[in-house]
Amino acid sequence: RSRMDQDAGGMPAHGDAVDRMQSEWARLRPDLSFTSLGVIHRVLRASRLILEVSDAFLADYGLTRGELDVLSALRRTDETLSPTTLAQKLLAPRSAITMRLNTLQARGLLSRTANPADGRSSLLVLTDTGAALVDEVIPAQLALEDALLAEAPAWAVEGLVDPLRALTSVWEQGRGHQTASSKDRRSGPLEPSG
């Protein structure tokens, strides 16, 4: 992006895709506030862009970002994880975790052993090959992420960590409550009683 496309503070001179989205919605529904859209959709777009670049990079190692997240979680923990615990740690659906585990096990990067505390479950163990792959990939992945952040103005990156930590902390704490209340809404009556 050329400097002509930015204002003095490094901001896009003509706004971004989310600014346009907010403007379009505001025109259609002037009765609503689209402030939250400005935050949420930028977080979502940033996540999608990061995953796109990351998956393209990791393809050279035969991995996706989701698979690297699984291997990394097993590599850095001192405890043996079950698939359910892993899914909770990664905030990933059980079905997605199962698919990743099957792929990684078929490649010999992890193994499953019986869970002595629960005969219906297994425990996940990173193989030596899996550990070696993580140790090879992580420095390269970190370099890629450093390069991504280096594309943005320094002031934008420096101010991100604390606000993002505050958002994810609040949302993660409320996650159990929201899941329970959404189940209640789905299983509750469709029409008001009384």
Side-chain angles (χ1 to χ4, degrees), residues 80-83 105 110-116 118 121-125:
T80 308
L81 302 178
S82 69
Q105 185 173 14
L110 62 82
S111 63
R112 301 181 211 206
T113 60
N115 185 347
D118 181 358
S121 179
S122 60
L123 297 175
L124 306 169
V125 178

Side-chain angles (χ1 to χ4, degrees), residues 24-179:
E24 291 161 357
W25 272 117
R27 188 181 70 249
L28 288 170
R29 293 296 308 268
D31 56 312
L32 298 176
S33 168
F34 294 97
T35 303
S36 60
L37 186 149
V39 175
I40 300 296
H41 278 264
R42 284 188 177 92
V43 171
L44 289 171
R45 288 177 72 83
S47 175
R48 290 172 186 147
L49 292 166
I50 292 167
L51 287 174
E52 181 180 278
V53 172
S54 190
D55 279 340
F57 174 77
L58 290 169
D60 289 343
Y61 296 92
L63 295 171
T64 65
R65 180 60 190 245
E67 291 166 353
L68 178 61
D69 287 345
V70 167
L71 295 175
S72 296
L74 296 176
R75 180 71 173 115
R76 67 178 185 263
T77 187
D78 292 330
E79 58 181 314
T80 308
L81 302 178
S82 69
T84 299
T85 304
L86 180 65
Q88 291 167 348
K89 282 181 175 287
L90 297 180
L91 300 180
R94 271 297 303 272
S95 58
I97 291 294
T98 299
M99 288 174 52
R100 293 171 195 168
L101 293 176
N102 290 342
T103 299
L104 296 169
Q105 185 173 14
R107 290 184 57 193
L109 301 175
L110 62 82
S111 63
R112 301 181 211 206
T113 60
N115 185 347
D118 181 358
R120 299 167 299 168
S121 179
S122 60
L123 297 175
L124 306 169
V125 178
L126 200 60
T127 63
D128 290 343
T129 303
L133 181 60
V134 174
D135 290 348
E136 177 186 356
V137 172
I138 288 298
Q141 178 69 21
L142 289 173
L144 173 72
E145 293 170 1
D146 288 342
L148 276 176
L149 293 178
E151 293 179 13
W155 61 262
V157 176
E158 289 163 5
L160 279 177
V161 174
D162 288 338
L164 286 174
R165 182 187 296 117
L167 286 175
T168 55
S169 295
V170 168
W171 292 338
E172 286 177 17
Q173 288 172 11
R175 192 166 182 255
H177 172 71
Q178 291 169 357
T179 302

